Amino acid sequence: MPYELIELDREGRVATLRLNRPKALNALNAEMMGEVAAALSDLERDDGIGCVILTGNEKAFAAGADIKEMVGDDYLSIYKTDRFEQNHCSVERFRKPIIAAVSGYALGGGCEIAMMCDFIIASNTAKFGQPEINLGVIPGIGGTQRLLRAVGKAKAMDLCLTGRIMDASEAEHSGLVARVVPVDDLMDTVREAAAKIAGHSQPATMILKEVIETGAETSLREGIRFERRMFQSLFTTEDQKEGMNAFIEKRKPHFKHR
Ligand code: CAA
C-alpha cells in the first residue's frame, strides 16, 4: 500500500517507519497515524520482520497530536470517536520489538508515542515534554501514566504541570531514554540495535517483550511466575535447541524463528 505521510523502508529483518509531515513538525494527525497503524499491522504479520524502528526527522520526532485537527472537537465528538485509540495506540499494541529513534522535538503525543515503544534511543538534540497544560488540557495518550512510571512522580509532576521541555541528557539520567548518542550517529546506532534484536529468535523476543511489559503492571511474585512459565514455554521451540547447541558447538546460531 502506498503511503503519503510515512515512509517505510526494509533492510534485512528490520523495518524503519519514518513519520513524514516535516512542515507540521510531524504533528500526529488521523491520516498519518492511520498509515502507521496499517503499516504496523502488515509488519506484525510479516515473518520476515523481527524489529521495527519508529522515527521522525532531525528537527522533530513529533511535536504532538495535531492541534489544528482537535481544536473544533467537543466532548461528545472526541468521546464517541475515541480519537487516538484506534490508530495512535496501534504502537502500544504492536507485539514485536519496536524502538523509537528520537531527534529534535518529542512533545505531547510525540513523547507519548515514543514512550509506547519498547525503548527510546535519542540523539543529543532530542527534546521531550508534555506541554498540553499550555493548551488548557492534559496529556491524553498515556503521557501522565507512562511518564510517572518512567521517571517517577516528582519529575512527571514537574514536566506535566509546568509544561517545560527536558533535554536529552536529563531524559537519559531520569530513565526515560535508554541511550543518547550524537545526532549524526543516531540512525546507525538504532539500526545496529534493531538488527541485533531482529537476528534473535523471534518467539523469544516477542515473549521477552510481553514478560517485561507484564512485569511493569503486576506484583514481583506474579511477574516472576509468568517469566518462569514463559521461559519454560520456549523449550517447545526449534530455536531453543539451535541456540543452545550452537553455544556448545562453538558456532553462531541459525535461528528459524520457530
Ligand atoms: N499540531 C499542529 N501543528 C503543529 C504542531 C501540533 N502539535 N506543532 C507544530 N505545528 C505546526 C505549526 O503550527 C507550524 O505550522 P505553520 O507553518 O502552518 O504555522 C509548523 O508546525 C512549524 O511550527 P512552529 O512554527 O511553531 O515551529 P517552531 O520551531 O517555532 O516551534 C515547537 C516548535 C516549540 C515544537 C512549536 O511548534 C510547538 O510548541 N508545537 C506544539 C507543541 C504542543 O503543544 N504539543 C502538544 C500537542 S497536544 C497533544 O499532544 C495532546 C495529547 O496528548 C493527546
Side-chain angles (χ1 to χ4, degrees):
M1 166 179 165
Y3 297 115
E4 300 282 328
L5 299 177
I6 63 169
E7 286 174 2
L8 180 59
D9 294 318
R10 293 152 188 266
E11 198 181 322
R13 291 180 50 76
V14 174
T16 300
L17 209 158
R18 186 179 292 280
L19 305 175
N20 192 24
R21 286 185 80 202
K23 286 188 181 145
L25 302 184
N26 288 339
L28 307 164
N29 67 359
E31 192 184 344
M32 184 167 76
M33 293 314 292
E35 292 186 0
V36 169
L40 288 179
S41 164
D42 288 347
L43 294 169
E44 190 160 297
R45 283 195 302 267
D46 186 341
D47 284 339
I49 292 297
C51 187
V52 172
I53 298 168
L54 182 61
T55 194
N57 56 53
E58 262 189 36
K59 176 145 192 207
F61 176 77
D66 191 318
I67 299 166
K68 294 166 189 170
E69 200 174 57
M70 278 186 295
V71 62
D73 274 333
D74 58 27
Y75 175 72
L76 264 193
S77 67
I78 200 165
Y79 172 72
K80 278 164 76 179
T81 57
D82 204 1
R83 188 187 279 285
F84 309 131
E85 180 55 35
Q86 197 181 343
N87 293 331
H88 295 61
C89 293
S90 63
V91 178
E92 77 181 9
R93 289 191 294 268
F94 188 62
R95 295 176 64 212
K96 292 178 182 172
I98 178 166
I99 307 172
V102 175
S103 261
Y105 296 112
L107 301 180
C111 186
E112 291 170 304
I113 299 282
M115 288 192 290
M116 286 178 198
C117 294
D118 296 318
F119 60 98
I120 301 171
I121 300 183
S123 82
N124 56 314
T125 68
K127 301 172 190 72
F128 297 89
Q130 297 291 159
E132 289 88 344
I133 201 71
N134 297 323
L135 304 169
V137 292
I138 65 170
I141 330 179
T144 57
Q145 303 307 299
R146 287 202 170 85
L147 204 56
L148 170 65
R149 285 158 178 78
V151 305
K153 179 184 164 190
K155 211 171 263 294
M157 284 284 190
D158 175 9
L159 288 162
C160 293
L161 282 171
T162 66
R164 77 176 173 87
I165 286 178
M166 169 162 78
D167 68 17
S169 153
E170 184 182 356
E172 185 180 26
H173 289 132
S174 59
L176 180 65
V177 158
R179 314 183 210 172
V180 175
V181 296
V183 64
D184 291 339
D185 298 342
L186 179 66
M187 290 316 293
D188 284 347
T189 305
V190 179
R191 280 193 203 103
E192 194 183 318
K196 190 152 207 175
I197 292 167
H200 293 148
S201 166
Q202 188 178 308
T205 58
M206 289 180 71
I207 285 176
L208 180 59
K209 166 173 170 145
E210 190 180 347
V211 166
I212 293 180
E213 279 172 349
T214 302
E217 293 182 17
T218 193
S219 68
L220 177 62
R221 183 160 298 279
E222 276 308 304
I224 289 173
R225 213 166 71 87
F226 185 54
E227 179 201 74
R228 185 68 46 83
R229 289 291 164 271
M230 291 297 102
F231 169 77
Q232 290 161 347
S233 77
L234 286 167
F235 284 72
T236 60
T237 65
E238 289 180 29
D239 286 346
Q240 172 265 328
K241 297 285 174 294
E242 171 61 11
M244 293 192 177
N245 280 318
F247 173 79
I248 292 164
E249 291 160 18
K250 299 188 189 301
R251 60 174 175 82
K252 279 196 168 174
H254 297 289
F255 292 124
K256 293 186 178 148
H257 310 294
R258 55 180 193 236

